[in-house]
């Protein structure tokens, strides 16, 4: 049982300093899973010590994988090979993590044993047919509760490759199919309506699995092996996002965010904020572990509202709560369309943000697939994150520029993706307690 945690974010002065945000959540999940299925011992550096990624590690340990944590942010994964996992009658608890559950559904569909994947209250409300339906076309048998978790994955089902065009852009669904494809006879092909983050593809290649991919399409065949490797996890752009918005909107601020992952499928918010007038520079751009990384330097700049280009939506799918806060203080109106996926994240992020911002006096209109936000002044008041980590951190940012304290209820889940957020935030000028 997670202990209840509420925050108050007080208006403060300019933000300054260097903020090293934790490792990327998407990369950390995948590194554990591929390391577990590899032959040999993989080393992960910069691993996210969050509850989501720790839940995935615990699931893999239950399946017989030895995972050591020699130091914070370090994991040593003793791979058991593609067919070396051992089944367990115990439910496998993915906690709050949609990525964990959906990717594991694909991975477990190809095993000889049965498994049951469960999650917390929020995850238990998230749609799973988007993975179980295409997996069923590959020959998998997975029972849901009316499309929701728990997932009962039946083992011993021979899988066959399919070509599947995703109805919605989802890296989780794509990745689940590719992981099942490792166990399938023939070729598995995934085609996306919009390209999404390609970490699974890149990492499969790094672990030596033959795969061809380009933005919007990935193809692999079953019957090869994964070979242990080293994985350097970049800092998570989605965690950096809160500081990008915070420094942009608080007058006098300058923040440096070192070694942030800049995979183009993740940096939509950077483009959106620049369209709004933000002053964000990328320094020291380099490649680390096959991923582009760089230091972000953000300075306060007056923002103006935009009509967000829909093409940016998949590249910033986790950053809308932060964008909504930026839009609330920008001059003029910001309009978001084509983002219906926000309704099935850790909370309904359109409804949760709209309710919270309205409580702070912001004029925001909801649509089924987006919102229109009139920029102006954020007032003090009481908001509820509904247990959604990114909403909690976004309202902490809102509190910095509000005319009074912003109370944020239900913040414990910030630990799922960003352990230590409060300390880092307060270290650069937030007043969060
Ligand atoms: C993720 C994909 C995205 C994102 C999530 C992480 C991943 O979800 O929102 O936080 O690691 O593949 P969808 O695939 O549902 O868009």
């Amino acid at each position: 049982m997670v202990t209840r945690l509420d925050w108050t974010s007080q208006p403060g002065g300019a933000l300054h300093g260097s903020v090293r945000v934790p490792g990327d959540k998407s990369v950390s999940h995948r590194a554990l899973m591929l390391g577990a299925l590899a032959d040999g011992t993989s080393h992960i550096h910069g691993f996210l010590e969050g509850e989501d990624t720790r839940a995935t590690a615990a699931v893999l340990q239950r399946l017989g994988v030895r995972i050591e944590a020699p130091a914070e942010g370090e994991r040593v994964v003793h791979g058991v090979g593609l067919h070396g996992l051992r089944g367990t009658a115990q439910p496998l608890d993915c906690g709050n993590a949609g990525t964990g559950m959906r990717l594991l559904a694909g991975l477990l569909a190809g095993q000889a044993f049965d498994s049951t994947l469960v999650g917390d209250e929020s995850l238990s409300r998230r749609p799973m047919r988007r993975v179980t339906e295409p997996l069923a076309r590959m020959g998998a048998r997975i029972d849901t509760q009316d499309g929701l978790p728990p997932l009962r994955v039946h083992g011993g089902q021979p899988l066959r490759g399919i070509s599947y065009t995703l109805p919605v852009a989802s890296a989780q669904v794509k990745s689940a199919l590719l992981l099942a494809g490792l166990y399938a006879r023939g070729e598995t092909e995934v085609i996306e309506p919009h390209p999404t983050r390609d970490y699974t593809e890149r990492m499969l290649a790094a672990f030596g699995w033959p795969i061809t991919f380009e933005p919007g399409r990935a193809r692999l065949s079953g019957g090869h092996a994964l070979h242990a490797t080293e994985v350097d996890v970049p800092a998570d752009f989605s965690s950096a996002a809160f500081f990008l918005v915070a420094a942009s909107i608080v007058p006098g601020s300058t923040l440096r965010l070192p070694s942030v992952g800049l995979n183009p499928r993740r940096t939509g918010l950077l483009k959106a904020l620049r369209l709004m007038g933000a002053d964000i520079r990328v320094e020291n751009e380099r490649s680390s572990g096959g991923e582009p990384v760089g230091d972000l330097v953000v300075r306060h700049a007056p923002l103006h509202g935009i009509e967000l280009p829909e093409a940016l939506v998949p590249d910033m799918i986790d950053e809308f709560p932060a964008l909504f806060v930026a839009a609330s203080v920008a001059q003029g109106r910001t309009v978001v369309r084509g983002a219906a996926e926000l309704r099935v994240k850790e909370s309904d992020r359109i409804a949760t943000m709209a309710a919270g911002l309205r409580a702070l006096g912001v004029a925001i209109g909801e649509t089924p697939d987006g919102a229109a936000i009139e920029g102006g002044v954020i007032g003090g008041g009481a908001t509820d994150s509904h247990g959604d980590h990114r909403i909690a951190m976004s309202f902490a940012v809102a509190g910095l520029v509000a005319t009074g304290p912003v109370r944020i209820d239900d913040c414990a889940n910030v630990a799922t993706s960003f352990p230590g957020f409060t300390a880092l935030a307060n270290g650069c000028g937030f007043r969060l307690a």
Side-chain angles (χ1 to χ4, degrees):
M1 192 56 211
V2 181
T3 38
R4 180 136 188 126
L5 178 67
D6 303 324
W7 284 344
T8 300
S9 178
Q10 308 266 1
L15 306 176
H16 287 291
S18 178
V19 181
R20 186 171 283 275
V21 301
D24 189 276
K25 182 152 71 75
S26 295
V27 176
S28 296
H29 278 297
R30 287 158 172 83
L32 286 172
M33 291 182 202
L34 297 193
L37 299 180
D39 296 319
T41 303
S42 294
H43 296 259
I44 310 174
H45 313 292
F47 177 79
L48 169 65
E49 298 286 357
E51 287 172 1
D52 277 13
T53 42
R54 285 182 172 179
T56 290
V59 166
L60 293 167
Q61 284 170 318
R62 286 225 158 198
L63 295 169
V65 181
R66 195 151 67 83
I67 301 175
E68 294 166 281
E72 179 155 327
E74 298 290 318
R75 288 295 182 279
V76 179
V77 185
H78 298 271
V80 295
L82 210 57
H83 299 283
L85 296 178
R86 280 191 276 107
T88 170
Q90 303 290 320
L92 302 168
D93 189 355
C94 300
N96 192 247
T99 306
M101 183 173 281
R102 293 191 178 122
L103 270 59
L104 284 166
L107 189 159
L108 290 169
Q111 307 300 325
F113 51 82
D114 296 352
S115 331
T116 303
L117 292 166
V118 301
D120 73 1
E121 201 190 317
S122 152
L123 183 52
S124 299
R125 285 194 303 263
R126 297 185 65 188
M128 292 296 149
R129 283 212 175 100
R130 53 179 61 201
V131 281
T132 59
E133 273 180 1
L135 287 171
R137 291 196 208 179
M138 295 179 74
R141 270 184 61 209
I142 305 178
D143 304 327
T144 66
Q145 313 295 308
D146 271 334
L148 302 178
L151 299 183
R152 174 102 181 122
V153 187
H154 298 267
Q157 310 296 314
L159 302 184
R160 56 188 174 272
I162 58 166
S163 175
Y164 186 70
T165 301
L166 297 182
V168 286
S170 165
Q172 293 178 358
V173 178
K174 170 178 64 176
S175 302
L177 301 186
L178 293 176
L179 290 173
L182 305 182
Y183 294 91
R185 197 162 31 81
E187 186 176 271
T188 299
E189 180 183 43
V190 187
I191 301 162
E192 307 176 279
H194 296 281
T196 63
R197 64 193 73 189
D198 56 0
Y199 299 124
T200 304
E201 297 91 307
R202 288 175 186 239
M203 211 182 286
L204 281 167
F207 276 81
W209 195 282
I211 176 166
T212 50
F213 62 99
E214 62 197 39
R217 184 186 295 259
R219 252 181 305 157
L220 57 72
S221 295
H224 303 281
L226 294 166
H227 304 291
T229 188
E230 303 236 341
V231 181
D232 285 309
V233 183
D236 198 322
F237 184 89
S238 295
S239 296
F242 305 105
F243 294 95
L244 293 180
V245 171
S248 293
I249 65 177
V250 179
S253 299
T254 305
L255 284 180
R256 172 177 286 271
L257 302 155
S259 303
V260 178
L262 297 176
N263 183 306
R265 300 281 72 83
R266 296 292 300 284
T267 48
L269 180 75
L270 190 58
K271 298 194 182 98
L273 287 175
R274 281 178 173 160
L275 289 174
M276 297 172 81
D279 176 357
I280 304 172
R281 277 187 296 130
V282 180
E283 293 183 355
N284 243 330
E285 211 170 342
R286 58 206 183 270
S287 168
S288 165
E291 282 290 328
V293 301
D295 305 339
L296 299 175
V297 181
V298 51
R299 291 196 169 79
H300 167 258
L303 302 184
H304 55 83
I306 55 167
E307 298 238 346
L308 184 78
E310 273 192 52
L312 285 183
V313 170
D315 294 348
M316 54 180 290
I317 195 64
D318 292 332
E319 279 61 78
F320 281 92
L323 176 83
F324 281 19
V325 172
S328 299
V329 292
Q331 197 190 351
R333 163 186 279 225
T334 295
V335 180
V336 173
R337 296 189 189 88
E341 274 296 293
L342 297 178
R343 297 213 177 263
V344 291
K345 294 294 179 188
E346 285 82 332
S347 72
D348 175 341
R349 287 188 172 155
I350 297 175
T352 315
M353 284 306 295
L357 287 172
R358 266 188 216 119
L360 303 180
V362 175
I364 171 168
E366 262 187 68
T367 59
D369 68 342
I373 301 163
E374 300 296 340
V377 174
I378 297 182
T383 65
D384 189 333
S385 85
H386 289 280
D388 186 327
H389 54 135
R390 300 202 198 282
I391 304 260
M393 290 183 273
S394 298
F395 282 124
V397 173
L400 287 170
V401 289
T403 53
V406 170
R407 184 188 156 91
I408 312 151
D409 281 358
D410 203 359
C411 299
N413 277 340
V414 167
T416 61
S417 71
F418 201 151
F421 173 76
T422 314
L424 270 187
N426 288 336
C428 71
F430 281 61
R431 292 171 62 213
L432 185 62

